[in-house]
PDB file of all heavy atoms in Angstrom:
ATOM      1  N   SER F  11      36.473-128.056 -39.088  1.00  0.00           N
ATOM      2  CA  SER F  11      35.945-128.831 -40.203  1.00  0.00           C
ATOM      3  C   SER F  11      36.160-128.026 -41.475  1.00  0.00           C
ATOM      4  O   SER F  11      36.661-126.909 -41.439  1.00  0.00           O
ATOM      5  CB  SER F  11      34.450-129.107 -39.987  1.00  0.00           C
ATOM      6  OG  SER F  11      33.718-127.908 -40.134  1.00  0.00           O
ATOM      7  N   SER F  12      35.742-128.570 -42.613  1.00  0.00           N
ATOM      8  CA  SER F  12      35.903-127.852 -43.865  1.00  0.00           C
ATOM      9  C   SER F  12      35.046-126.587 -43.882  1.00  0.00           C
ATOM     10  O   SER F  12      35.346-125.645 -44.587  1.00  0.00           O
ATOM     11  CB  SER F  12      35.529-128.754 -45.040  1.00  0.00           C
ATOM     12  OG  SER F  12      34.188-129.169 -44.909  1.00  0.00           O
ATOM     13  N   VAL F  15      36.364-122.268 -41.474  1.00  0.00           N
ATOM     14  CA  VAL F  15      37.617-121.668 -41.923  1.00  0.00           C
ATOM     15  C   VAL F  15      37.951-120.434 -41.110  1.00  0.00           C
ATOM     16  O   VAL F  15      39.102-120.062 -40.996  1.00  0.00           O
ATOM     17  CB  VAL F  15      37.568-121.335 -43.426  1.00  0.00           C
ATOM     18  CG1 VAL F  15      37.568-122.602 -44.243  1.00  0.00           C
ATOM     19  CG2 VAL F  15      36.380-120.480 -43.764  1.00  0.00           C
ATOM     20  N   LEU F  18      36.608-119.011 -33.899  1.00  0.00           N
ATOM     21  CA  LEU F  18      36.725-118.232 -32.665  1.00  0.00           C
ATOM     22  C   LEU F  18      37.486-119.060 -31.641  1.00  0.00           C
ATOM     23  O   LEU F  18      37.294-120.273 -31.546  1.00  0.00           O
ATOM     24  CB  LEU F  18      35.344-117.893 -32.101  1.00  0.00           C
ATOM     25  CG  LEU F  18      34.459-116.998 -32.946  1.00  0.00           C
ATOM     26  CD1 LEU F  18      33.079-116.870 -32.310  1.00  0.00           C
ATOM     27  CD2 LEU F  18      35.095-115.636 -33.102  1.00  0.00           C
ATOM     28  N   MET F  28      28.111-110.799 -11.180  1.00  0.00           N
ATOM     29  CA  MET F  28      28.737-109.494 -11.211  1.00  0.00           C
ATOM     30  C   MET F  28      27.771-108.454 -10.644  1.00  0.00           C
ATOM     31  O   MET F  28      26.564-108.606 -10.777  1.00  0.00           O
ATOM     32  CB  MET F  28      29.174-109.059 -12.606  1.00  0.00           C
ATOM     33  CG  MET F  28      28.707-109.829 -13.747  1.00  0.00           C
ATOM     34  SD  MET F  28      29.312-109.347 -15.381  1.00  0.00           S
ATOM     35  CE  MET F  28      29.542-107.645 -15.388  1.00  0.00           C
ATOM     36  N   TYR F  39      39.845-114.566 -29.820  1.00  0.00           N
ATOM     37  CA  TYR F  39      40.637-114.457 -31.034  1.00  0.00           C
ATOM     38  C   TYR F  39      39.866-115.060 -32.194  1.00  0.00           C
ATOM     39  O   TYR F  39      39.227-116.096 -32.056  1.00  0.00           O
ATOM     40  CB  TYR F  39      41.987-115.178 -30.870  1.00  0.00           C
ATOM     41  CG  TYR F  39      42.837-114.530 -29.810  1.00  0.00           C
ATOM     42  CD1 TYR F  39      42.756-114.941 -28.480  1.00  0.00           C
ATOM     43  CD2 TYR F  39      43.689-113.486 -30.136  1.00  0.00           C
ATOM     44  CE1 TYR F  39      43.515-114.326 -27.496  1.00  0.00           C
ATOM     45  CE2 TYR F  39      44.460-112.871 -29.162  1.00  0.00           C
ATOM     46  CZ  TYR F  39      44.358-113.285 -27.848  1.00  0.00           C
ATOM     47  OH  TYR F  39      45.099-112.673 -26.883  1.00  0.00           O
ATOM     48  N   HIS F  44      41.946-120.819 -43.503  1.00  0.00           N
ATOM     49  CA  HIS F  44      42.008-121.153 -44.923  1.00  0.00           C
ATOM     50  C   HIS F  44      43.394-120.851 -45.470  1.00  0.00           C
ATOM     51  O   HIS F  44      44.049-119.906 -45.045  1.00  0.00           O
ATOM     52  CB  HIS F  44      40.951-120.367 -45.701  1.00  0.00           C
ATOM     53  CG  HIS F  44      40.576-121.026 -46.988  1.00  0.00           C
ATOM     54  ND1 HIS F  44      41.357-120.941 -48.107  1.00  0.00           N
ATOM     55  CD2 HIS F  44      39.511-121.790 -47.312  1.00  0.00           C
ATOM     56  CE1 HIS F  44      40.785-121.619 -49.079  1.00  0.00           C
ATOM     57  NE2 HIS F  44      39.662-122.147 -48.633  1.00  0.00           N
ATOM     58  N   ILE F  48      40.756-114.893 -48.347  1.00  0.00           N
ATOM     59  CA  ILE F  48      40.630-113.787 -47.390  1.00  0.00           C
ATOM     60  C   ILE F  48      39.185-113.776 -46.901  1.00  0.00           C
ATOM     61  O   ILE F  48      38.253-113.890 -47.693  1.00  0.00           O
ATOM     62  CB  ILE F  48      40.975-112.452 -48.069  1.00  0.00           C
ATOM     63  CG1 ILE F  48      42.423-112.470 -48.553  1.00  0.00           C
ATOM     64  CG2 ILE F  48      40.724-111.280 -47.124  1.00  0.00           C
ATOM     65  CD1 ILE F  48      42.783-111.306 -49.446  1.00  0.00           C
ATOM     66  N   PRO F  55      25.768-107.641 -32.162  1.00  0.00           N
ATOM     67  CA  PRO F  55      25.151-107.938 -30.862  1.00  0.00           C
ATOM     68  C   PRO F  55      23.622-107.928 -30.918  1.00  0.00           C
ATOM     69  O   PRO F  55      22.968-108.420 -30.008  1.00  0.00           O
ATOM     70  CB  PRO F  55      25.690-106.850 -29.946  1.00  0.00           C
ATOM     71  CG  PRO F  55      26.192-105.777 -30.830  1.00  0.00           C
ATOM     72  CD  PRO F  55      26.496-106.386 -32.160  1.00  0.00           C
ATOM     73  N   GLU F  75      45.974-115.559 -40.722  1.00  0.00           N
ATOM     74  CA  GLU F  75      46.035-114.414 -39.817  1.00  0.00           C
ATOM     75  C   GLU F  75      45.020-114.538 -38.681  1.00  0.00           C
ATOM     76  O   GLU F  75      43.971-115.152 -38.832  1.00  0.00           O
ATOM     77  CB  GLU F  75      45.758-113.128 -40.608  1.00  0.00           C
ATOM     78  CG  GLU F  75      45.970-111.860 -39.833  1.00  0.00           C
ATOM     79  CD  GLU F  75      45.734-110.616 -40.688  1.00  0.00           C
ATOM     80  OE1 GLU F  75      45.152-110.717 -41.778  1.00  0.00           O
ATOM     81  OE2 GLU F  75      46.148-109.539 -40.237  1.00  0.00           O
ATOM     82  N   LEU F  80      38.056-107.666 -28.355  1.00  0.00           N
ATOM     83  CA  LEU F  80      37.707-107.422 -26.960  1.00  0.00           C
ATOM     84  C   LEU F  80      36.185-107.432 -26.823  1.00  0.00           C
ATOM     85  O   LEU F  80      35.493-106.608 -27.414  1.00  0.00           O
ATOM     86  CB  LEU F  80      38.270-106.080 -26.490  1.00  0.00           C
ATOM     87  CG  LEU F  80      38.031-105.742 -25.027  1.00  0.00           C
ATOM     88  CD1 LEU F  80      38.759-106.738 -24.123  1.00  0.00           C
ATOM     89  CD2 LEU F  80      38.471-104.327 -24.731  1.00  0.00           C
ATOM     90  N   PHE F  83      31.058-106.606 -21.677  1.00  0.00           N
ATOM     91  CA  PHE F  83      29.707-106.805 -21.167  1.00  0.00           C
ATOM     92  C   PHE F  83      29.494-105.843 -20.004  1.00  0.00           C
ATOM     93  O   PHE F  83      30.294-105.793 -19.076  1.00  0.00           O
ATOM     94  CB  PHE F  83      29.518-108.255 -20.695  1.00  0.00           C
ATOM     95  CG  PHE F  83      28.180-108.497 -20.074  1.00  0.00           C
ATOM     96  CD1 PHE F  83      27.049-108.631 -20.858  1.00  0.00           C
ATOM     97  CD2 PHE F  83      28.050-108.567 -18.692  1.00  0.00           C
ATOM     98  CE1 PHE F  83      25.809-108.844 -20.280  1.00  0.00           C
ATOM     99  CE2 PHE F  83      26.819-108.778 -18.111  1.00  0.00           C
ATOM    100  CZ  PHE F  83      25.692-108.916 -18.904  1.00  0.00           C
ATOM    101  N   GLY F  88      19.515-103.633 -12.930  1.00  0.00           N
ATOM    102  CA  GLY F  88      19.310-104.404 -11.714  1.00  0.00           C
ATOM    103  C   GLY F  88      19.729-105.852 -11.846  1.00  0.00           C
ATOM    104  O   GLY F  88      20.373-106.261 -12.811  1.00  0.00           O
ATOM    105  N   TYR F  92      21.541-113.121 -17.481  1.00  0.00           N
ATOM    106  CA  TYR F  92      21.669-112.895 -18.917  1.00  0.00           C
ATOM    107  C   TYR F  92      22.083-114.199 -19.591  1.00  0.00           C
ATOM    108  O   TYR F  92      23.009-114.866 -19.145  1.00  0.00           O
ATOM    109  CB  TYR F  92      22.750-111.852 -19.208  1.00  0.00           C
ATOM    110  CG  TYR F  92      22.362-110.438 -18.860  1.00  0.00           C
ATOM    111  CD1 TYR F  92      22.713-109.894 -17.623  1.00  0.00           C
ATOM    112  CD2 TYR F  92      21.673-109.649 -19.762  1.00  0.00           C
ATOM    113  CE1 TYR F  92      22.378-108.602 -17.303  1.00  0.00           C
ATOM    114  CE2 TYR F  92      21.331-108.346 -19.447  1.00  0.00           C
ATOM    115  CZ  TYR F  92      21.681-107.824 -18.226  1.00  0.00           C
ATOM    116  OH  TYR F  92      21.358-106.533 -17.908  1.00  0.00           O
ATOM    117  N   CYS F  97      25.645-112.727 -33.112  1.00  0.00           N
ATOM    118  CA  CYS F  97      25.983-113.292 -34.417  1.00  0.00           C
ATOM    119  C   CYS F  97      27.322-112.731 -34.898  1.00  0.00           C
ATOM    120  O   CYS F  97      27.604-111.550 -34.726  1.00  0.00           O
ATOM    121  CB  CYS F  97      24.864-112.925 -35.392  1.00  0.00           C
ATOM    122  SG  CYS F  97      25.126-113.523 -37.044  1.00  0.00           S
ATOM    123  N   THR F 104      37.548-113.516 -51.071  1.00  0.00           N
ATOM    124  CA  THR F 104      38.208-114.037 -52.267  1.00  0.00           C
ATOM    125  C   THR F 104      37.195-114.649 -53.215  1.00  0.00           C
ATOM    126  O   THR F 104      37.207-114.373 -54.421  1.00  0.00           O
ATOM    127  CB  THR F 104      39.280-115.078 -51.875  1.00  0.00           C
ATOM    128  OG1 THR F 104      40.188-114.478 -50.956  1.00  0.00           O
ATOM    129  CG2 THR F 104      40.032-115.588 -53.090  1.00  0.00           C
ATOM    130  N   ALA F 105      36.298-115.479 -52.691  1.00  0.00           N
ATOM    131  CA  ALA F 105      35.276-116.103 -53.536  1.00  0.00           C
ATOM    132  C   ALA F 105      34.317-115.057 -54.104  1.00  0.00           C
ATOM    133  O   ALA F 105      33.904-115.158 -55.265  1.00  0.00           O
ATOM    134  CB  ALA F 105      34.502-117.157 -52.737  1.00  0.00           C
ATOM    135  N   GLN F 108      36.057-113.249 -56.942  1.00  0.00           N
ATOM    136  CA  GLN F 108      36.084-114.117 -58.118  1.00  0.00           C
ATOM    137  C   GLN F 108      34.714-114.172 -58.777  1.00  0.00           C
ATOM    138  O   GLN F 108      34.592-114.128 -59.995  1.00  0.00           O
ATOM    139  CB  GLN F 108      36.548-115.533 -57.736  1.00  0.00           C
ATOM    140  CG  GLN F 108      36.633-116.481 -58.920  1.00  0.00           C
ATOM    141  CD  GLN F 108      37.624-116.026 -59.970  1.00  0.00           C
ATOM    142  OE1 GLN F 108      38.738-115.667 -59.656  1.00  0.00           O
ATOM    143  NE2 GLN F 108      37.214-116.033 -61.229  1.00  0.00           N
ATOM    144  N   VAL F 113      31.048-112.672 -63.184  1.00  0.00           N
ATOM    145  CA  VAL F 113      29.818-112.023 -63.652  1.00  0.00           C
ATOM    146  C   VAL F 113      30.154-110.921 -64.652  1.00  0.00           C
ATOM    147  O   VAL F 113      29.505-110.788 -65.691  1.00  0.00           O
ATOM    148  CB  VAL F 113      29.008-111.466 -62.462  1.00  0.00           C
ATOM    149  CG1 VAL F 113      27.911-110.526 -62.917  1.00  0.00           C
ATOM    150  CG2 VAL F 113      28.415-112.603 -61.648  1.00  0.00           C
ATOM    151  N   ARG F 118      30.229-109.007 -70.204  1.00  0.00           N
ATOM    152  CA  ARG F 118      30.949-108.529 -71.393  1.00  0.00           C
ATOM    153  C   ARG F 118      30.743-109.473 -72.560  1.00  0.00           C
ATOM    154  O   ARG F 118      30.508-109.042 -73.690  1.00  0.00           O
ATOM    155  CB  ARG F 118      32.442-108.388 -71.088  1.00  0.00           C
ATOM    156  CG  ARG F 118      32.808-107.117 -70.380  1.00  0.00           C
ATOM    157  CD  ARG F 118      34.321-106.858 -70.415  1.00  0.00           C
ATOM    158  NE  ARG F 118      35.109-107.982 -69.936  1.00  0.00           N
ATOM    159  CZ  ARG F 118      35.541-108.127 -68.698  1.00  0.00           C
ATOM    160  NH1 ARG F 118      35.264-107.219 -67.796  1.00  0.00           N
ATOM    161  NH2 ARG F 118      36.253-109.175 -68.351  1.00  0.00           N
ATOM    162  N   PHE F 133      29.001-117.468-101.415  1.00  0.00           N
ATOM    163  CA  PHE F 133      29.669-117.537-102.716  1.00  0.00           C
ATOM    164  C   PHE F 133      31.192-117.521-102.603  1.00  0.00           C
ATOM    165  O   PHE F 133      31.877-117.503-103.615  1.00  0.00           O
ATOM    166  CB  PHE F 133      29.194-116.376-103.609  1.00  0.00           C
ATOM    167  CG  PHE F 133      27.712-116.408-103.825  1.00  0.00           C
ATOM    168  CD1 PHE F 133      26.897-115.474-103.228  1.00  0.00           C
ATOM    169  CD2 PHE F 133      27.135-117.418-104.596  1.00  0.00           C
ATOM    170  CE1 PHE F 133      25.529-115.520-103.415  1.00  0.00           C
ATOM    171  CE2 PHE F 133      25.770-117.457-104.770  1.00  0.00           C
ATOM    172  CZ  PHE F 133      24.955-116.520-104.180  1.00  0.00           C
ATOM    173  N   GLY F 141      40.536-116.081 -99.745  1.00  0.00           N
ATOM    174  CA  GLY F 141      39.603-116.972-100.418  1.00  0.00           C
ATOM    175  C   GLY F 141      38.992-116.301-101.635  1.00  0.00           C
ATOM    176  O   GLY F 141      38.765-115.098-101.678  1.00  0.00           O
ATOM    177  N   ASN F 144      33.124-116.264-106.055  1.00  0.00           N
ATOM    178  CA  ASN F 144      32.465-116.659-107.296  1.00  0.00           C
ATOM    179  C   ASN F 144      31.489-115.549-107.678  1.00  0.00           C
ATOM    180  O   ASN F 144      30.309-115.584-107.341  1.00  0.00           O
ATOM    181  CB  ASN F 144      31.753-117.987-107.100  1.00  0.00           C
ATOM    182  CG  ASN F 144      31.213-118.560-108.387  1.00  0.00           C
ATOM    183  OD1 ASN F 144      31.063-117.841-109.372  1.00  0.00           O
ATOM    184  ND2 ASN F 144      30.917-119.850-108.368  1.00  0.00           N
ATOM    185  N   LYS F 154      25.907-108.584-104.769  1.00  0.00           N
ATOM    186  CA  LYS F 154      27.185-107.963-105.112  1.00  0.00           C
ATOM    187  C   LYS F 154      28.104-108.060-103.899  1.00  0.00           C
ATOM    188  O   LYS F 154      27.632-108.122-102.758  1.00  0.00           O
ATOM    189  CB  LYS F 154      27.019-106.538-105.597  1.00  0.00           C
ATOM    190  CG  LYS F 154      26.770-105.517-104.546  1.00  0.00           C
ATOM    191  CD  LYS F 154      26.689-104.139-105.193  1.00  0.00           C
ATOM    192  CE  LYS F 154      26.790-103.089-104.107  1.00  0.00           C
ATOM    193  NZ  LYS F 154      26.657-101.767-104.594  1.00  0.00           N
ATOM    194  N   GLN F 157      31.707-106.314 -98.035  1.00  0.00           N
ATOM    195  CA  GLN F 157      32.008-106.801 -96.692  1.00  0.00           C
ATOM    196  C   GLN F 157      31.673-105.687 -95.717  1.00  0.00           C
ATOM    197  O   GLN F 157      32.043-104.542 -95.932  1.00  0.00           O
ATOM    198  CB  GLN F 157      33.470-107.205 -96.557  1.00  0.00           C
ATOM    199  CG  GLN F 157      33.777-108.503 -97.249  1.00  0.00           C
ATOM    200  CD  GLN F 157      35.195-108.957 -96.967  1.00  0.00           C
ATOM    201  OE1 GLN F 157      36.086-108.141 -96.853  1.00  0.00           O
ATOM    202  NE2 GLN F 157      35.366-110.258 -96.863  1.00  0.00           N
ATOM    203  N   ALA F 170      26.825 -99.729 -89.216  1.00  0.00           N
ATOM    204  CA  ALA F 170      27.477-100.605 -90.179  1.00  0.00           C
ATOM    205  C   ALA F 170      28.495 -99.771 -90.935  1.00  0.00           C
ATOM    206  O   ALA F 170      28.227 -98.622 -91.287  1.00  0.00           O
ATOM    207  CB  ALA F 170      26.454-101.204 -91.135  1.00  0.00           C
TER     208      ALA F 170
END
Side-chain angles (χ1 to χ4, degrees):
S11 70
S12 60
V15 290
L18 296 175
M28 12 183 327
Y39 296 90
H44 203 281
I48 298 170
E75 188 178 15
L80 183 64
F83 176 77
Y92 287 95
C97 179
T104 304
Q108 181 61 48
V113 167
R118 279 194 307 266
F133 301 108
N144 188 342
K154 77 178 194 183
Q157 286 186 325

